[in-house]
Amino acid sequence: MLRLVLFAGLLLFTAGFLSCTPETWTGRVFHNTTAHYNGYFYAREEINRIEKIIRLNHQDDYNQILWLFPRLDSLKAKAYDKDIQEAIKMASISIQRHPGSKWLDDAYLLVGKARLYSFDWGNAIQTFKYVNNDKVTKDVNMRHAALIWLLRTYTEHKEYNNAEAVIAYLLKERLNRSNRKSFLLNKAYYYQVRNNYDGMIRALTEAESLLTRKDRPGRIYFIMGQVYQHLGFESEAYNFYREAISTHPEYEVDFYARLYMAQVAEISRSRDVAHARKSFKKLLTDSKNRDFKDKIYYEMGVFEEKQGNLTEAIGYYNKALRIGNNNLVKGDAYFRLGHVYYDSLRNFEMAQAYYDSAVRTMPPSRPGYAGIKQRQEVLNEFVKHYKNIKWNDSLLTLSKMDTATIRKLVVDKISSSEKPVSVKRKREQRVNTNTSDAVVQQEVSATASGWYFSNQSTLATGRVEFVRVWGKFPLEDNWRRSARTVISTDQSVASAPSDTESKPEAPSTTDKATEAFKGLLGQIPYSPQQKAEALKKIETSLFALGDIYYFKLGETKNAVLTYQTLLKRFPDSEYEPEVLYKLFLILKQTDEVTAQNYALQLNQKHPESTFNKLIQNPNYLAENEQTQNKQKLLYQQAYFHFQNNHLTEARRVLEEARGMEETPFTPYLLMLDILITAKAGDKETYAAKLDDFIRQNENAELVELAKSLQEALKASNKNKEPDKPVYTRQIEEPHYFVFSFDPSENLESPVTAFLNDFNRTNFRDLQLKVSRTELNGSQVLILVSDLPRVSTAIEYYRLIAAKLAALADLKNRKFNTFVISKGNFNTLYRTQKLHEYLEFFTKVYRTDSP
C-alpha cells in the first residue's frame, strides 16, 4: 500500500514538472536541473577536451620564458573544429530551451570560450560583453569572469588598449578568490605578451598565494624563476626553481629547474665556477636525462660564454647540435654560435652560416625571431660583398704571377688536402668534407694574397660546418661546370658501392691539379678590361659594405673605415660625392674638424652634387621640390606649344624652366628640348643632342628613349647619300680631346683610367669629364670634355701625347688622338667619317702647334 502511494506521488510530482513554467518554483528547479546536467554539462566537457588538445599541441621552448597559457594556433585549431561546434551546440540547448535557468550565464560563457578558441574574435568579444550585463545575470562573480575572459580575448587579438581598459576596471572591483587568481594570471599573461616582465612578475607574485594543485604551481614557480633570471635577480631565480622542484612537477619542468639552478645558484653565491661545472656533468651522467643531453650541452655553452670561454662555449654548442633532435634547442644553439662569431670573434662568414641555420630551424613564433631573421638577411648581404672583395683581390694578386707559380700553388694545395687525417682529427670533424676544385682555387688565391682563405684552420672549420648544415653542394657562382671536380677522397657511407660493384678509379693528384688549375686560370683577370671589371666589383662591394655597416648594423666606426678605404683605393669613384657626404654626417657629432674637411672636399670636387647642396643648405630638398613643381608646370605649357607646332614659344617656356636650378626633373626638360629640335628639322643638332643626352644622363628610362630615337635617326639616314662634311676652325668654342680605337683592341678600361688620372694630376681645376661613344660600331671614342677653348685643347693634346707614348698598354696598338670643337663633333657624329676629320685636324690644328 505504501509503495502504491509513493508511486502515485512520484507521478503527480513528475506531471507538475512537465507542466510547469520557469516562473514557478517547480519550473525553476526543473530548468536549472536539466540545463545544468544536459546542455551545460556536455558543453563544458567539450571545452575541457578542447583545452586539453590545445595544451598537448603546444610545445614548450625551455630556452625561452615559458608561456603562462598555451599559445593559440589558427592552423592547429582545425583539429578541434568539430569539438567547437559541438560545444556551441550543447551550450545553445541550455540557452534556448531553458532561458530562465541560473546556468544561462555559464552557458554563454562557454560559447564565448568556444568562439575564442576558434579565432572568432568578434563573436567572442560580443559574447563576453553580453554576459557582463546585469540584465543577463545578477551574479557579479560571473560578470567578473566574463571580463577576465574578455581580457584574454583582447590579449590574444592584440587589442592592447582595450585590454588595458579591462585591467584598469577590474583593479577597482572586489573579486572573489577564484576570479582574483584568474585575473592575476591573465594580467601576467598580458604583460608577458607585451614583454613587460616587471609587470608580469608583480602579477604572479600576487597570485602565488592563491594557487592550487589544479593550477600546476610547479610550472608557474618555474616561470617565475625564469623571469627573475631574465631580469638579473639570480638569487630569487634560484629560490623559485627550488620551489618548483618541491611541488614534484612533471619531469621536464623538474629537469630544467635543476639545470637552471646550476646556472644561477653557485655563481650567485660563492662564485665557485668549478662547482657549477660539476653540477652540469652530474646532470649529464644521470641516465634519466638521456633525452635532454642536447639541452645540457647548450646550457653549458651559455655558461662558458658568460665566463668568456668562447672556445669551450663553441664546443658545447656544437655538441648540442650534434647529439640532439630538438629543433628548439638546435635553433637556439645556431643562434648563440652566430652571436659569438659575429659579436665576439667578428667572423662574418661563420656568423652568417649560423644565423642562416638558426632561421631555418627556429619556429617563426619564437620570441625575437624577427630580429634574428633581420640579422640573417643583413649578414647574407654583407658576406656576399665581403667575399666578392676577397675573391677579386685574390685573383688580381694571382694575375701578377706566372702560370708555373700558380700551378705549383694548386698542386701544393691539393697534396696537402690529401694527406692522411689523424684519428683525433676525424673525431673532431665527424663529418665528411667534400672539397671542390672551386674551393682549391679560392685557397690558392688566398695563399697568394694573404687573405682569410689562407688560414687553413678557419677554412676547415667553415667547410666542415657548411657541409654538415647544408650538405655537399658545390660552389655555383661563375664556376664552369666542365672544370668542376671532386678532390676529397672521402665519400658518404650511403653512396659507397657494394662489394660486388666495381669501384671507379679515383683520379690522380696530377689529374685533379690539372682540372683545378684550368678552372682557376679561367677566373684570373689578365687583360686590362678584366682587371678593370674586377676592380669595379671591389669598388661596388666596398660601397655596399660601408652602407651595411652604417645603416643596417649601426657600426659607424667600421662604416667610416670602409668608406675611407673606398676613397683611398678609388680616388675617382663614382660614389665619392655620396661617401664624402656620409662621412660628414657620421663624424660631425664626434670629430667636427674631420667632418668639415670632408665637407670641404665635397664642395671643391663636386660643387653641383645634391650631397654638397644638402650640406650648404639643409632645406635644399624642400626648396628643390618646390622648384621641381614649378618646372613641371612650365613643362606642361611648353609641351602644349610643342604639340601645336608653336616651337618658338615652346623653346621660350622651356628655357625659363631650364634656367632654374638642376633638379631630378631636369632630364625631362632636356628630352623635350631634343624633341623640339627634331621637329624643327635640324638633324645635325638633333643627333648631337641625343648623343650628349645618352652620355651624360643617368635616367635609365629617358636614356632608352634617346637610344631608340638615335637608332631611328640612323635608319632614316642610312639610304641617303651623305653630304661631304664641312669642318671649320672654331677657336673660342669648347673642345673635346678624343681617343679613338677599334673595339677589338679592348682599350676602354686602361685608357679611361689613364685619362682620369691625367686629368686629376694636370687639369684638376677644369673638372674634366671622361665619357664614351661610338661611330657606326667601328670606332670607340673616349671623350674628355669640356676644354674651354682651342688653346687649352692644344696644351692638353701636347701634354698627353708624351704620356701616351710611354704607356705600356698602348704598345703595338692602333689608335688615334685628336681634339675637336663641339660644333665639329656634331658634324663628325652626323657623317660618321672619322678619316675626313683626321685630315682636317692634321692640316689645321697641327699647324697651330709651335
Side-chain angles (χ1 to χ4, degrees), residues 147-311:
L147 286 174
I148 293 168
W149 278 100
L150 183 62
L151 167 61
R152 173 73 181 279
T153 306
Y154 281 143
T155 301
E156 296 288 358
H157 198 219
K158 299 180 181 179
E159 296 185 37
Y160 300 130
N161 289 335
N162 289 333
E164 289 276 7
V166 174
I167 291 173
Y169 178 82
L170 288 173
L171 285 173
K172 301 174 185 177
E173 295 289 297
R174 293 186 61 182
L175 307 178
N176 64 19
R177 183 182 180 88
S178 175
N179 280 339
R180 179 166 177 75
K181 176 182 67 177
S182 180
F183 167 62
L184 290 171
L185 292 177
N186 275 279
K187 179 183 174 185
Y189 178 70
Y190 165 78
Y191 285 129
Q192 183 178 19
V193 171
R194 301 301 306 276
N195 294 319
N196 182 351
Y197 293 109
D198 184 64
M200 179 184 179
I201 198 65
R202 291 175 185 274
L204 289 177
T205 301
E206 288 187 68
E208 182 184 354
S209 61
L210 304 174
L211 299 176
T212 64
R213 189 70 182 172
K214 184 180 178 181
D215 300 312
R216 301 166 71 194
R219 177 186 171 83
I220 294 177
Y221 291 144
F222 176 79
I223 292 173
M224 294 175 74
Q226 285 185 301
V227 175
Y228 274 121
Q229 186 176 357
H230 174 79
L231 295 174
F233 299 102
E234 294 188 339
S235 296
E236 288 297 323
Y238 176 86
N239 292 333
F240 276 102
Y241 288 141
R242 185 174 59 183
E243 188 73 19
I245 294 171
S246 70
T247 63
H248 306 291
E250 54 266 35
Y251 182 73
E252 199 168 11
V253 172
D254 183 279
F255 163 75
Y256 281 106
R258 296 180 188 276
L259 181 62
Y260 291 157
M261 282 175 68
Q263 280 275 18
V264 298
E266 308 300 336
I267 303 305
S268 65
R269 293 184 175 187
S270 63
R271 305 291 177 183
D272 187 354
V273 175
H275 191 83
R277 289 175 178 146
K278 184 178 180 181
S279 298
F280 283 123
K281 290 180 180 179
K282 183 178 179 181
L283 289 169
L284 278 174
T285 56
D286 191 335
S287 60
K288 295 192 299 296
N289 299 334
R290 185 183 300 107
D291 294 334
F292 299 105
K293 281 190 175 183
D294 56 345
K295 178 60 179 176
I296 299 173
Y297 280 123
Y298 171 80
E299 291 300 330
M300 291 172 76
V302 174
F303 177 83
E304 295 297 345
E305 185 182 346
K306 288 180 180 178
Q307 311 310 312
N309 303 322
L310 299 183
T311 302

Side-chain angles (χ1 to χ4, degrees), residues 11-73:
L11 287 177
L12 291 172
F13 190 71
T14 302
F17 266 109
L18 294 175
S19 62
C20 67
T21 64
E23 288 75 19
T24 64
W25 175 82
T26 55
R28 286 195 298 272
V29 172
F30 170 76
H31 285 290
N32 287 338
T33 302
T34 53
H36 179 218
Y37 291 106
N38 287 329
Y40 172 77
F41 174 82
Y42 289 111
R44 187 182 63 188
E45 289 299 303
E46 292 294 339
I47 293 297
N48 289 340
R49 186 181 295 109
I50 292 166
E51 290 175 340
K52 184 177 180 181
I53 293 172
I54 293 172
R55 188 166 61 250
L56 292 175
N57 285 341
H58 176 77
Q59 185 178 9
D60 282 324
D61 181 0
Y62 284 87
N63 290 340
Q64 309 299 320
I65 296 174
L66 298 187
W67 290 102
L68 273 171
F69 302 129
R71 300 311 305 272
L72 301 181
D73 188 325

Side-chain angles (χ1 to χ4, degrees), residues 401-547:
M401 300 179 180
D402 57 76
T403 55
T405 304
I406 297 172
R407 183 177 181 84
K408 184 177 184 305
L409 288 171
V410 173
V411 172
D412 291 345
K413 192 63 62 178
I414 292 178
S415 298
S416 65
S417 69
E418 292 189 340
K419 288 181 179 179
V421 182
S422 65
V423 175
K424 180 180 179 181
R425 181 64 175 166
K426 287 182 179 179
R427 190 182 302 117
E428 289 174 353
Q429 292 184 356
R430 300 230 176 162
V431 291
N432 297 323
T433 59
N434 185 16
T435 310
S436 69
D437 63 325
V439 174
V440 173
Q441 292 165 11
Q442 288 184 325
E443 291 178 350
V444 172
S445 302
T447 303
S449 63
W451 277 96
Y452 153 85
F453 282 110
S454 61
N455 185 333
Q456 290 305 300
S457 175
T458 309
L459 257 182
T461 303
R463 193 184 311 123
V464 167
E465 180 57 26
F466 182 87
V467 173
R468 184 185 61 72
V469 175
W470 300 106
K472 299 180 180 180
F473 290 101
L475 298 179
E476 294 286 349
D477 293 343
N478 300 319
W479 292 105
R480 300 180 300 171
R481 292 183 179 275
S482 61
R484 193 178 295 140
T485 184
V486 174
I487 293 174
S488 174
T489 56
D490 294 331
Q491 298 294 329
S492 64
V493 174
S495 62
S498 65
D499 293 338
T500 59
E501 295 176 349
S502 61
K503 298 181 181 180
E505 184 178 349
S508 66
T509 301
T510 303
D511 292 337
K512 295 174 186 176
T514 300
E515 289 298 318
F517 173 70
K518 289 179 180 178
L520 177 58
L521 212 59
Q523 302 296 313
I524 299 175
Y526 284 114
S527 71
Q529 183 175 354
Q530 288 173 333
K531 290 179 180 179
E533 290 173 355
L535 287 170
K536 186 62 181 178
K537 290 177 182 177
I538 294 172
E539 178 188 358
T540 302
S541 287
L542 275 173
F543 179 74
L545 285 186
D547 280 358

Side-chain angles (χ1 to χ4, degrees), residues 480-615:
R480 300 180 300 171
R481 292 183 179 275
S482 61
R484 193 178 295 140
T485 184
V486 174
I487 293 174
S488 174
T489 56
D490 294 331
Q491 298 294 329
S492 64
V493 174
S495 62
S498 65
D499 293 338
T500 59
E501 295 176 349
S502 61
K503 298 181 181 180
E505 184 178 349
S508 66
T509 301
T510 303
D511 292 337
K512 295 174 186 176
T514 300
E515 289 298 318
F517 173 70
K518 289 179 180 178
L520 177 58
L521 212 59
Q523 302 296 313
I524 299 175
Y526 284 114
S527 71
Q529 183 175 354
Q530 288 173 333
K531 290 179 180 179
E533 290 173 355
L535 287 170
K536 186 62 181 178
K537 290 177 182 177
I538 294 172
E539 178 188 358
T540 302
S541 287
L542 275 173
F543 179 74
L545 285 186
D547 280 358
I548 294 171
Y549 273 130
Y550 184 20
F551 296 110
K552 298 182 179 180
L553 296 176
E555 299 181 14
T556 55
K557 184 177 179 180
N558 285 324
V560 168
L561 292 174
T562 306
Y563 287 143
Q564 289 173 338
T565 301
L566 171 62
L567 295 179
K568 184 176 180 180
R569 290 193 64 177
F570 304 96
D572 294 311
S573 171
E574 65 177 291
Y575 304 112
E576 184 179 45
E578 187 173 350
V579 168
L580 290 171
Y581 177 69
K582 288 172 181 174
L583 285 169
F584 167 77
L585 292 180
I586 295 171
L587 295 171
K588 69 177 182 179
Q589 301 296 332
T590 58
D591 190 348
E592 181 67 23
V593 175
T594 305
Q596 289 302 324
N597 181 47
Y598 284 122
L600 181 62
Q601 290 183 51
L602 181 57
N603 188 41
Q604 291 175 343
K605 300 176 72 174
H606 308 281
E608 297 303 318
S609 71
T610 301
F611 301 104
N612 181 57
K613 292 175 181 177
L614 282 171
I615 294 178

